[in-house]
Amino acid sequence: MAAINVDWNAIRPINGTCQEGFEELCSQLADSERSENASFVRKGRPDAGVECYAVFADGREWGWQAKYFDTLGDSQWAQLDESVRTALDKHPRLVRYYVCIPLDLSDARTKGRRSTRDRWTDRVSKWSGWARDRGVDVEFVYWGSYELIERLSRPQNRGRLWFWFDRRHFDEAWFAARLDEAIKAAGPRYTPEIHVELPVAAKFEAFGRTERFIDSLRGRARSLRKKSDNLRMNMNRKSPGNGSSDSMSADEELVNQTAVLTKLVNQVLLGLGQLRSDPIGPLGLHQLADKTSEVLTASMILERSLLEREKQDDEKAVETSAEGTNVSYRRNPFREQRYRLYELQGEFRDLETELLEADSFAEASLLLLTGQAGTGKTHLVCDIARTRLRDGRPTVLLMGQRFLSYDAPWTQALQHLDLAHLSAEEFVGALEAAAQTRGCRALVLIDALNEGAGRRIWPEHLAAFLAYFNRSAWISVGLTVRSSYEQIVVPGEIRNRAVKIEHYGFMELEYDAAQTFFDHYGLERPSTPLLIPEFSNPLFLKMLCRGLSESGQRRLPRGFHGISATFDLFLNVVNSRLAGDLGFNPNRQLVRQAVELLVSTFVEKRQNWLPLEEAEDLVNRLLPGREFDRSLYRGLVSEGVLIEEVVWR
């Protein structure tokens, strides 16, 4: 502890004030101090005499009050009196009360003068009397500068020390700068100005427990309430008086079953309204799904009763109708009710599925995103990181292609983040403090585990790397890896405990995606669906549109029905780009020559792949004497013409 020097005037301000910063720091230390069998509540303003408090199973409470005082005079003691009085009134189960002030109590023991420690003792005596007058015994504990620094010096809190007293890191500017570096490394794989909203992004909202995720669930209540009201009103509506049935409202069994169903529906609606985007702890989604299941069970009981009465009503109508009269199209009120009930059942089945899926993502701390090459995994995580930082949510994006050496991943990761002076434990602690300060989960994303040296380092180091994050409930981790490398790069234990997402690119959204891309590049929208499967690949669609634009064309060529014409245009664009990057004559069509050479070799060997070394040697013969970074082979891989994959034998 002697090595730690804390300047309380240099504490990180929150909302522009050091007072709020100090209150938040004390609340975080209180959270780490309280017993595991107690729940923790962080309060806003007004705080009812405590910044935060812990509640034990038997109802007892510990409370913390933080005052950012630089002196303790009559005014400050009066403020403390007011806070203690309020806390005793508002928290009648309080048994311990911490007073946090960044000052040590002086104890000069000068004759004729009372020290601040003497005044503290006097105050504790007075406050204890107030507590006894209310029928409780409260222990008053002082956390001064010494006590606070001692807690900050503990290993589990060293990260907080960096966060609160090193303003160069972990603020909005630092997070934004680190993301900019990651986006530059992503290169053309991330184009923020061309964005297609995909359903897969909603799963990251659930994983991050964002307000948008909770709002989307709460938003289901309107449709549920409408269909429930429609059913209830129709159930209470009297039959048309055709003599075939009595008033449906007079059917006691139906009335009771409808009442049970309505009560369960209202419980679900209440549960949806009470959902909150708490960053840690259970959200209650699974319990709400169970309640939804009860609604479906009750609805099936009502459905059987309606079906039985519907048949009876049809039979009675046949008996009473004139001979030869067709009654198959007559209005049967019970049939109408079953239709309304089916509508309600459909809504609740969808809700139950959504709640169970949302629960699996919201309760997870590790996510694994897989997908084929070019499906847009990098674009997705870059866009998620940008959105989260725009909303003030701490987010770190690490690019797999930047892990180039065989050094331990943590060493490389901290270098990428300009935090080489921190340990992994300190980084996690500081990130947790940033998350707690903003009242939300922090998210660490690692893109493309299969790139760079990832195929060598992650299989042995990924579990140990993630172990540091496992210590914090405030931090979740998302990983992406190409599907063909998943089993090689990601250990089985990690795959088994991660919630998984498969990214299929623009599959089933090809037409909408094509419109977005064509509009961006100033092209005429396609008038018919694009049936070539490659159009579900974002990388291919982007290269095609860029090729049309750069060649001066504004529409797909006439007769654009075959895949050959599409790939011709694609290869021409890549050839022009690489000619400029690598410095060869674009008229040589080296890209087309390389593809034809590889294809002829595939035919000769009767297989659709080549060993990496062989493919690299064949392609680079067309443009020899180049270092790897400026080789033709590397260019074809970077542009998506060639894909390095694992071949299973």
Side-chain angles (χ1 to χ4, degrees), residues 8 99-105 142-149:
W8 293 105
V99 176
C100 309
I101 301 175
L103 295 171
D104 288 328
L105 298 174
Y142 187 80
W143 278 6
S145 178
Y146 174 85
E147 289 80 8
L148 293 170
I149 292 176

Side-chain angles (χ1 to χ4, degrees), residues 270-322:
L270 179 62
L272 287 173
Q274 293 176 340
L275 289 178
R276 298 292 181 268
S277 56
D278 296 332
I280 61 174
L283 296 181
L285 300 180
H286 200 285
Q287 290 80 355
L288 192 55
D290 291 340
K291 186 62 67 175
T292 302
S293 180
E294 293 181 25
V295 171
L296 291 171
T297 300
S299 73
M300 287 187 286
I301 295 174
L302 178 59
E303 179 187 348
R304 287 193 294 269
S305 297
L306 288 172
L307 183 59
E308 178 183 348
R309 284 157 178 77
E310 179 184 336
K311 292 179 180 179
Q312 293 173 353
D313 197 70
D314 283 341
E315 292 172 356
K316 185 175 182 180
V318 171
E319 293 174 358
T320 59
S321 64

